[in-house]
Amino acid sequence: MSSRTPGVPYPRLPLPEDGREDLATFQRWLAEAIPMVASLGIEAMREEGERLIWNLALAPNLNDKGTGFGGALAAQTTLQGWCWVTLWLRRQGQARDVVVAEATQRFLAPVTGDYRLVCTPSEPDGPQRLAERLVMHGKGRITLTQTLYCGDTRCLEATGHYAVLE
């Protein structure tokens, strides 16, 4: 049972003092701030350059056929993009509101075991363009791609458009 109150924003996680994010702390905060996160099976998250990578357990995300439930997978891709933008902003020393403006998923193969999600900017200059828009306009957008792999099999591709608000 969540102690969250509808309509009341959850306190932001303080920015890291040295600019280096502790992803375990971020993941704990995320599960408190967004109660359903605790049920999504996120086992680990790491950053490699511009990539945010999650390892996830299939068991909490099963459908009636014994494979990955599309709704859970869609929620995970949307959340991962939100996290990518939030973590990127935090590295810039900014605590800002991020929202998903649009998200799409394309299911390519059933998810039959534990899996990983990889989130990257859809365009190589996306982060730079976002940074420029934030300076010029105080807000901006970025498009991200999430790809789900079960072993070496690409099972899902998603695209999300995320907005950073003023």
Side-chain angles (χ1 to χ4, degrees):
M1 178 94 138
S2 170
S3 61
R4 294 291 316 280
T5 303
V8 177
Y10 195 77
R12 291 180 195 223
L13 183 65
L15 292 171
E17 292 181 20
D18 61 2
R20 294 176 11 168
E21 192 74 56
D22 177 346
L23 290 179
T25 299
F26 179 80
Q27 187 173 344
R28 281 191 300 277
W29 171 85
L30 188 64
E32 294 169 6
I34 304 172
M36 73 177 277
V37 168
S39 302
L40 292 178
I42 304 169
E43 295 182 333
M45 59 174 69
R46 68 184 185 281
E47 293 179 295
E48 293 178 1
E50 293 288 334
R51 299 174 359 144
L52 177 60
I53 303 165
W54 289 2
N55 294 330
L56 296 111
L58 176 60
N61 300 295
L62 288 171
N63 64 18
D64 58 316
K65 296 161 209 56
T67 60
F69 173 57
L73 304 177
Q76 291 165 352
T77 61
T78 301
L79 177 66
Q80 188 187 39
W82 181 91
C83 288
W84 188 100
V85 178
T86 299
L87 290 166
W88 181 87
L89 286 165
R90 291 172 60 77
R91 281 194 303 279
Q92 317 306 309
Q94 298 183 50
R96 306 277 299 267
D97 286 331
V98 176
V99 297
V100 61
E102 182 179 346
T104 60
Q105 299 81 32
R106 191 173 72 163
F107 297 88
L108 306 170
V111 177
T112 57
D114 292 349
Y115 52 100
R116 72 185 181 285
L117 270 175
V118 180
C119 181
T120 58
S122 296
E123 298 178 9
D125 64 343
Q128 178 61 35
R129 288 194 344 235
L130 175 59
E132 291 167 0
R133 286 186 195 114
L134 292 174
V135 168
M136 292 176 61
H137 305 290
K139 59 184 178 180
R141 288 181 147 215
I142 188 167
T143 301
L144 301 172
T145 300
Q146 299 87 21
T147 307
L148 185 153
Y149 297 93
C150 190
D152 291 330
T153 303
R154 199 172 45 151
C155 298
L156 178 145
E157 290 179 343
T159 302
H161 304 279
Y162 297 85
V164 179
L165 307 178
E166 287 188 272

